[in-house]
């Protein structure tokens, strides 16, 4: 098939996971169930934090923000995939693809930023407990959230604008269930050197630096906890960080797995299957991690449900 350049395309084709007709009902039921669990689980966390006055603290303010972000993050990809499976149509318009790309990267980056801010919150709470309420005041917490949102928005806007400058070829098929940046770049007919340069630079700047901050915070936290004399005090201090550490491990572990999978098998559906781990599974598990490992959340949930 002969490809020809054009400055603008009208639509892309999302190949998804499988073209076998007998697997479509199974995929639809599986992802619908996961989406409903993700939505309802994170919504319960949000309602619990709103209604329980003892949860109106900086830590739960950021958990509230993370749950809301996870709902939005999953909603950028899964509903469109479910619609495609149900209607047996795999087409997504050029405008919808760019819009999906923007919001997917926005909420992914916001997830990343919130985990970093939450690590700083735990660092202040454990290493500087006497100054915690002074440092983590409502105004400062709001500024941290606003800064995270602005940085995430600028990052996603930059990548989206860089995609708009590209020319593509005809018969564009994306080996994924959503408009993923690397997959789109692989379909471009024009030079993508600048796109790749910005992609790796921004990933290094907004990826490595926050991760370094998280590691530094927890090194300080562990050092402070080890200096606590009583076993009960150590256990209580570790329990306040357990949920956050679990979420960080899940988020970064799945993201790294997707990156390695993409590097090993580029432009294949294997990377799409791996992407499910951080786009669907991680947001689905976060509410369970926070509710099962947190006594305050469990207490608030019982009050909400009864």
């Amino acid at each position: 098939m002969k490809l020809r350049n054009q400055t603008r395309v009208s639509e892309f084709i999302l190949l998804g996971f499988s073209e076998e007709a007998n697997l479509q009902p199974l995929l639809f039921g599986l992802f619908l169930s996961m989406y409903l669990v993700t939505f309802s689980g994170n919504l319960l966390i949000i309602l619990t934090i709103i209604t329980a006055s003892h949860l109106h603290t900086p830590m739960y303010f950021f958990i509230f923000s993370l749950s809301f972000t996870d709902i939005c993050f999953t909603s950028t990809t899964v509903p469109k995939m479910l619609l495609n499976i149900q209607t047996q149509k795999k087409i997504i318009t050029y405008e919808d693809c760019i819009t999906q790309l923007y919001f997917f990267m926005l909420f992914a980056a916001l997830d990343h930023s919130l985990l970093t801010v939450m690590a700083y919150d735990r660092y202040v709470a454990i290493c500087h407990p006497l100054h915690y309420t002074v440092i983590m005041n409502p105004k400062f917490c709001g500024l941290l959230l606003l800064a995270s949102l602005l940085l995430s928005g600028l990052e996603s806007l930059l990548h989206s604008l860089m995609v708009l400058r590209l020319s593509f070829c005809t018969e564009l098929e994306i080996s994924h269930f959503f408009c993923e940046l690397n997959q789109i770049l692989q379909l471009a007919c024009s030079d993508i050197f600048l796109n790749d340069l910005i992609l790796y630079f921004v990933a290094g700047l907004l990826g490595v630096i926050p991760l370094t901050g998280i590691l530094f915070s927890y090194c300080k936290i562990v050092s402070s906890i080890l200096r606590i004399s009583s076993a009960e005090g150590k256990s209580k201090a570790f329990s306040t960080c357990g949920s956050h550490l679990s979420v960080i491990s899940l988020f970064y572990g799945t993201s790294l797995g997707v990156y390695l999978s993409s590097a090993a098998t580029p432009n294949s559906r294997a990377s799409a299957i791996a992407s499910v781990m951080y786009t669907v599974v991680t947001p689905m598990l976060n509410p369970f991690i926070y509710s099962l490992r947190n006594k305050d959340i469990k207490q608030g949930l019982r009050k909400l449900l009864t």
Side-chain angles (χ1 to χ4, degrees):
M1 178 176 61
K2 185 178 179 180
L3 301 179
R4 54 187 176 84
N5 293 342
Q6 58 181 43
T7 56
R8 182 181 174 87
V9 294
S10 60
E11 59 191 28
F12 292 98
I13 299 173
L14 297 173
L15 295 180
F17 299 105
S18 173
E19 295 181 1
E20 295 183 25
N22 59 331
L23 287 179
Q24 301 310 306
L26 177 63
L27 290 172
F28 182 83
L30 175 64
F31 281 97
L32 178 61
S33 302
M34 293 171 74
Y35 179 69
L36 291 176
V37 170
T38 302
F39 192 94
S40 57
N42 282 288
L43 184 61
L44 271 177
I45 295 293
I46 290 171
L47 294 175
T48 300
I49 294 172
I50 290 174
T51 55
S53 58
H54 70 284
L55 299 180
H56 294 173
T57 63
M59 182 177 79
Y60 295 106
F61 170 71
F62 293 122
I63 292 176
F64 169 93
S65 303
L66 184 68
S67 293
F68 180 77
T69 303
D70 281 342
I71 289 175
C72 297
F73 180 51
T74 309
S75 298
T76 59
T77 57
V78 178
K80 174 61 178 174
M81 179 186 63
L82 293 174
L83 180 64
N84 288 353
I85 293 175
Q86 185 68 19
T87 60
Q88 294 297 303
K89 293 180 180 179
K90 300 182 178 182
I91 293 172
I92 183 170
T93 64
Y94 178 84
E95 292 78 9
D96 287 347
C97 187
I98 298 300
T99 302
Q100 186 185 63
L101 172 68
Y102 172 80
F103 282 106
F104 174 82
M105 299 197 71
L106 169 67
F107 293 118
L110 188 55
D111 247 352
H112 190 93
S113 300
L114 285 172
L115 290 175
T116 306
V117 170
M118 291 167 74
Y120 176 73
D121 172 74
R122 293 298 83 207
Y123 161 74
V124 176
I126 293 175
C127 299
H128 305 282
L130 298 179
H131 304 286
Y132 178 70
T133 54
V134 176
I135 296 173
M136 301 302 293
N137 59 77
K139 183 179 179 181
F140 184 60
C141 291
L143 287 174
L144 287 174
L145 179 61
L146 180 61
S148 299
L149 185 59
L150 287 175
L151 283 174
S152 303
L154 288 173
E155 179 189 358
S156 57
L157 181 62
L158 175 62
H159 288 305
S160 300
L161 291 175
M162 290 302 296
V163 170
L164 290 175
R165 60 177 282 274
L166 298 175
S167 59
F168 293 92
C169 306
T170 57
E171 302 297 333
L172 294 173
E173 295 182 343
I174 298 176
S175 301
H176 223 294
F177 63 95
F178 67 95
C179 292
E180 199 263 340
L181 180 60
N182 285 324
Q183 296 290 331
I184 294 174
L185 293 181
Q186 290 174 20
L187 298 176
C189 292
S190 53
D191 183 35
I192 61 170
F193 173 76
L194 186 58
N195 293 74
D196 285 335
L197 184 65
I198 292 176
L199 176 63
Y200 290 119
F201 175 77
V202 172
L205 188 65
L206 300 181
V208 176
I209 292 177
L211 181 58
T212 303
I214 291 173
L215 294 175
F216 174 80
S217 296
Y218 273 99
C219 285
K220 290 290 186 180
I221 288 171
V222 171
S223 177
S224 295
I225 291 175
L226 292 177
R227 289 198 295 267
I228 299 174
S229 56
S230 67
E232 184 182 352
K234 288 181 180 179
S235 176
K236 186 177 180 180
F238 271 121
S239 67
T240 63
C241 303
S243 299
H244 184 239
L245 272 174
S246 300
V247 172
I248 286 176
S249 302
L250 189 62
F251 183 83
Y252 281 100
T254 53
S255 299
L256 181 61
V258 170
Y259 173 78
L260 295 175
S261 173
S262 300
T265 55
N267 198 26
S268 72
R269 288 179 179 173
S271 62
I273 296 172
S275 296
V276 173
M277 289 303 297
Y278 80 94
T279 57
V280 183
V281 176
T282 299
M284 181 182 69
L285 293 180
N286 284 352
F288 294 100
I289 294 172
Y290 282 116
S291 60
L292 293 176
R293 297 178 62 91
N294 191 301
K295 293 180 180 179
D296 292 332
I297 289 283
K298 285 192 284 188
Q299 182 184 348
L301 274 171
R302 279 194 293 268
K303 288 183 178 180
L304 178 69
L305 296 175
T306 58

